[in-house]
Amino acid sequence: LGMTPIEVGSVYPSISMSGPPTARQTGRIRIGNGDYSISFMEPEAGRKSYRIHYTEIFSDFTEREVLERLSKKFGPPEVNQCGPQTTMTGWVCRLRWLRPDSVVMDAETRSIQTAQGIQATSLQFTALNRRTQAHLEITALPRLQAVSSAARGL
């Protein structure tokens, strides 16, 4: 978080950017078996990344092993909810870490069965800078109000 597309691109040259250069953009990259989506602020705000979403399917680790690795890396989560999935067999776990620098990290693991019939663990992980997210929401409000007023003829 906090890197520009150019900084990310210097480390991961295969990043693919989408969205107009004058607005917020999203970068996508594949690292190993993981898919990353990185959200960047608009140019006026410095084009810094404020949200990273990562997904991967692990056929070589159990769900318990994935959860243990996350806890080992980030410490014990503030939220840890696990229970049976409603539409499939297996478990779903949701974890949340609240860092002192206003970054919130959310993880969700699911027991899944691949198309090949292999038992695997799906991981979705999001890191979000809440300070930046709040700034984006505050700065977007006047634009939304202006559009709404124009649409209503006010």
Side-chain angles (χ1 to χ4, degrees), residues 26-60:
T26 301
R28 298 195 192 295
I29 188 167
R30 184 165 183 86
I31 302 171
N33 293 325
D35 292 312
Y36 292 80
S37 174
I38 306 166
S39 299
F40 296 94
M41 296 169 57
E42 61 275 335
E44 304 84 47
R47 187 69 80 205
K48 301 283 186 182
S49 59
Y50 66 94
R51 180 181 181 273
I52 299 174
H53 182 75
Y54 155 74
T55 60
E56 186 165 351
I57 295 176
F58 298 93
S59 57
D60 49 347

Side-chain angles (χ1 to χ4, degrees), residues 128-147:
L128 173 69
N129 184 323
R130 289 179 64 131
R131 246 186 248 140
T132 305
Q133 181 68 25
H135 168 76
L136 291 171
E137 290 169 0
I138 289 169
T139 58
L141 187 59
R143 289 186 293 232
L144 293 173
Q145 289 172 335
V147 169

Side-chain angles (χ1 to χ4, degrees), residues 2-77:
M3 294 175 72
T4 66
I6 292 171
E7 292 169 330
V8 175
S10 70
V11 179
Y12 301 105
S14 62
I15 190 167
S16 170
M17 299 297 294
S18 63
T22 57
R24 293 185 212 164
Q25 291 186 307
T26 301
R28 298 195 192 295
I29 188 167
R30 184 165 183 86
I31 302 171
N33 293 325
D35 292 312
Y36 292 80
S37 174
I38 306 166
S39 299
F40 296 94
M41 296 169 57
E42 61 275 335
E44 304 84 47
R47 187 69 80 205
K48 301 283 186 182
S49 59
Y50 66 94
R51 180 181 181 273
I52 299 174
H53 182 75
Y54 155 74
T55 60
E56 186 165 351
I57 295 176
F58 298 93
S59 57
D60 49 347
F61 297 119
T62 66
E63 187 171 16
R64 177 176 288 262
E65 289 171 320
V66 170
L67 293 171
E68 287 172 358
R69 287 170 183 258
L70 289 170
S71 291
K72 187 174 185 179
K73 183 171 180 103
F74 301 115

